[in-house]
Amino acid sequence: MVAGKTSPTFTKKLSTANLGFPRMGRERELKAALEGFWAGKRTEQELLETAASLRKRHWELQRATGIDTIPSNDFSLYDQVLDALVLVGATPERFGSGKVTLERYFAMARNSREQTAMEMTKWFDTNYHYLVPEWSAGISFEIDTTKLLGELRQARALNLETRPVLIGPMTLLLLGKGVDGFDSMSLLPKLTAAYIKVLQVLADEDVDWVQIDEPMLVTDLSDKVRDAYRTVYAELTKSPVRLMLTTYFDTIGDNLQTTVTLGTAGLHIDVVRAPQQLAATLAALGPDQVLSVGCVEGRNIWLTDFAIASSQIAQAVEQLGAERVVVAPSCSLLHVPHDLHSETALSPRLRSWLRFAEEKLQEVAALASHDQPARSANAAAITDRAAADTTTNPRVRAALAALEEKHFRRASAYAQRAVAQREKLGLPLLPTTTIGSFPQTAEVRKHRAAFRRGREGTAEYDAFLEKAIAECVREQERIGLDVLVHGEFERNDMVEYFAEFLDGFAFTENGWVQSYGSRCVKPPVIYGDVQRPEPMTLRWTHYASSLTSRPMKGMLTGPITVLQWSFVRNDIPRSQTAWQIALALRDEVSDLETAGIGIIQVDEPALREGLPLRHADWQAYLDWAVKAFRITTSGVADATQIHTHMCYCEFEDVLPSIAALDADVISMESARSRMELLDAFRAHGYPNEIGPGVYDIHSPRVPSAEEMRELLALALHVLKPEQVWVNPDCGLKTRGWHETVAALENMCKAASEVRAQLQS
Ligand code: GLN
Ligand code: ZN
């Protein structure tokens, strides 16, 4: 084949590829199979049969859609990173050695009474969680190609030649952590040798192409890491198997020279997240390298603008020739739901703007061919969406345009507010509180489910909620907490609950996306301008506060967390949607304040996970994110106390922005790290009040008062007594009442003992 420099606009169908398909199944069959197996209700054989039939269905669907290059080994019973560790023989030693059985596989993935599973963390900036590799000297690197070859052969039996997907060695290594300070880079030669063996096995099977995922190439890399990339790929590219080096989620940027000189036969880039890298990549590619143009968004659910994607493809074809261009989604479709067929409840108009995995592959196929009808239909849908009055709300736009300096700042500085708050609230030193939710018992879930399915009437459901709230308030008073909460029994999910009240949000019936293992989430869809037609939390907070003379804390989910855990519209900047949500929440804050709620907490657990992958982009994000929080919280009087809460991660590197939120009180997860983060707070000179979590809520274990006293003592080393609050690490909704009461009693005991010491 000669690289065709002759035809600048392509006239024949270009090659198409997919990088990964959602594995749960249209009806989440894998979830049912896994959970059935874990519960002992299904055999291993039944689980494996379900998995095989899902793969078959997904491959056939991709083939029917017109995708030329279909992936294999993208399937997983739990997580693709864990699969990669099994493949190269790099599973943690603490789970045993030898061939990994299904039992051991799940032992690594899931906590059991006997053993803590591997740690889980978010895959780049997605909401998918992978199991974190544990690197240590004793790793065997005995490869196990059972799964890899099993899938390849299963597909071949269906007369399908697939392109196996591997996570690249550098990404795998860099995603992991060295056990006890072990230098994981020292494993590189052994890891490389394992990959060479894997590629040899594939070469022996006459595999032509392999997709090798190296998303780490879109992050900031040191020279040392770039050198390591060169060393590893100098070896891997000796294999007769051709490598499609696959990057996604951001720009290769300053790693471009390194990337194109690794010598792989192909390179995949994401031109949805990072369109600016197309020209530079085209200019830098080697003379025979193939470019896979990721021009259909694999992370979000909106239709592609064919005008943009086509011009990107044409640009590539013009420079490289049609033979060297592949059309593909920007990344694996793991991050979008399966298909739109069952979304019959959505408005047909909104639905016409959406594309899930199956429809995205149809887009890829249409873009690669000269499918005129598909192109016209796309142009019509794009025009319709751009012109739709359902997505633009003049009142919201006007409110946004009218934002002034004063909407971003509390009227007075913290020091002055603190005086007013002390006077008004009259709290003791080391005030005790909780993060908001109390146990979501089977009874709570039962009532909510019955209400949602229309089996329980509003009056009955409301009466149940009042009863639950009253009991919760009484119990908190009995335990002796200083600042109470209503318990959040009415909330299914901290984002969905709010989204359901807000204009501009839509909900799918089956828009499930894998979060980890068998767990899926169904993010709301933000399609239009966000507005709050009526109060969202006022009723229950007000009711709870009427039952007690102690301060009742109002609980809201913050604008960035709502944004992060939704599918966000892509026709206006994210920051603008964030500020619209912030304005809606500002109204809620104001209503709560007017109703006499003197303390309002705005949770932002997802603040940090919104950080861009490239450091250079951090500040711009943090600036608008902090402003969003401040829009929500700055409209209140000095004496009204604003709390925020964060968890799930380390916050050290964004501390200046956390301080810039200017919340009066922040509660944070810190018990598991034994208050480590406080050092950063001290170094930064954090001025406001802090509630470092004094007990871990992730396990049913009841910590003693003694333990919590010790943690408080650690906190008091670093913070002034007037700065410290006493609370658990996070909400209590996953706990049972029994352990919750016992732990909170101990917590209050610890607080009052330390208080007495301080005052003596
Ligand atoms: N207020 C929420 C709760 O208590 C906070 C949850 C969270 O931080 N993820 O459940
Ligand atoms: Zn939390």
Side-chain angles (χ1 to χ4, degrees), residues 435 494 603 605 645-648 667-669 697-698 729-731:
I435 306 306
M494 66 184 288
D603 292 328
H645 166 71
M646 287 177 194
C647 54
Y648 301 137
S667 61
M668 313 186 82
E669 172 176 341
I697 53 85
H698 297 92
D729 262 354
C730 192

